[in-house]
Amino acid sequence: MEDIRIALPARQRRRLLIRLGLATAVLCGPFWWENWGVGLLVTAVWSPLAAGGLGWVFGSLLLTPESLHLRGPLRRRVVPWTEIGLITERTTHGRSSTYRIAIVYTTDRPGPRVLPGLRADSVTEEPDFERALATVRAYQRAVARRRSF
């Protein structure tokens, strides 16, 4: 079995970066011009949130026969296939948008892990999301079949 890398398409990555940049400029920019202390506080609060957004943009998933590699700009996790349970999707409704993400339940932690590189923000991104999720599930089944022999 070969390794498979899954990441967001370039057009979706570009759109998420533009949204993150605009949100940063709107939230942090005006405060720096008026009062540098307030600007520093707003930037300190916003920076961790923006770093989480960068995980959505630059995160990727590497499927290998031994494990599932969750790669982000700030952290990397390796989860062996033996610890992986259910791979499913979650639809999240925000104030102004709805998006779908893929999550995986593992035996090493009680809650689900979000799979980087699998996100659909609009109807036009649904086929890419469905295709990537089907690839991950098929790879999981192939690894399970291989281990059973």
Side-chain angles (χ1 to χ4, degrees):
M1 294 176 70
E2 74 232 18
D3 296 352
I4 298 174
R5 182 178 178 270
I6 297 173
L8 291 177
R11 68 187 184 305
Q12 187 178 3
R13 190 175 319 127
R14 193 170 32 252
R15 190 169 58 251
L16 287 172
L17 271 177
I18 289 171
R19 287 181 189 168
L20 187 62
L22 287 174
T24 301
V26 167
L27 288 174
C28 298
F31 295 108
W32 281 100
W33 292 110
E34 294 174 10
N35 184 344
W36 69 271
V38 175
L40 185 63
L41 178 67
V42 169
T43 304
V45 170
W46 176 249
S47 296
L49 299 173
L54 289 176
W56 284 110
V57 176
F58 294 110
S60 68
L61 187 63
L62 180 67
L63 309 173
T64 64
E66 297 82 28
S67 58
L68 183 68
H69 297 256
L70 311 170
R71 296 180 176 190
L74 302 176
R75 75 170 65 145
R76 299 175 188 268
R77 302 265 190 226
V78 178
V79 183
W81 286 107
T82 55
E83 294 180 8
I84 293 177
L86 177 67
I87 297 175
T88 186
E89 65 184 68
R90 177 184 292 167
T91 302
T92 303
H93 304 284
R95 288 185 180 175
S96 62
S97 66
T98 299
Y99 60 92
R100 292 171 58 195
I101 57 174
I103 55 174
V104 61
Y105 290 94
T106 59
T107 59
D108 66 336
R109 73 187 267 191
R113 291 182 189 262
V114 176
L115 295 179
L118 290 165
R119 179 182 171 119
D121 288 321
S122 65
V123 177
T124 58
E125 297 161 357
E126 292 290 328
D128 294 334
F129 177 80
E130 292 291 339
R131 192 176 316 114
L133 188 59
T135 301
V136 173
R137 288 175 175 163
Y139 203 93
Q140 182 187 24
R141 285 191 301 271
V143 168
R145 270 195 310 270
R146 191 171 166 211
R147 290 189 188 280
S148 65
F149 289 116

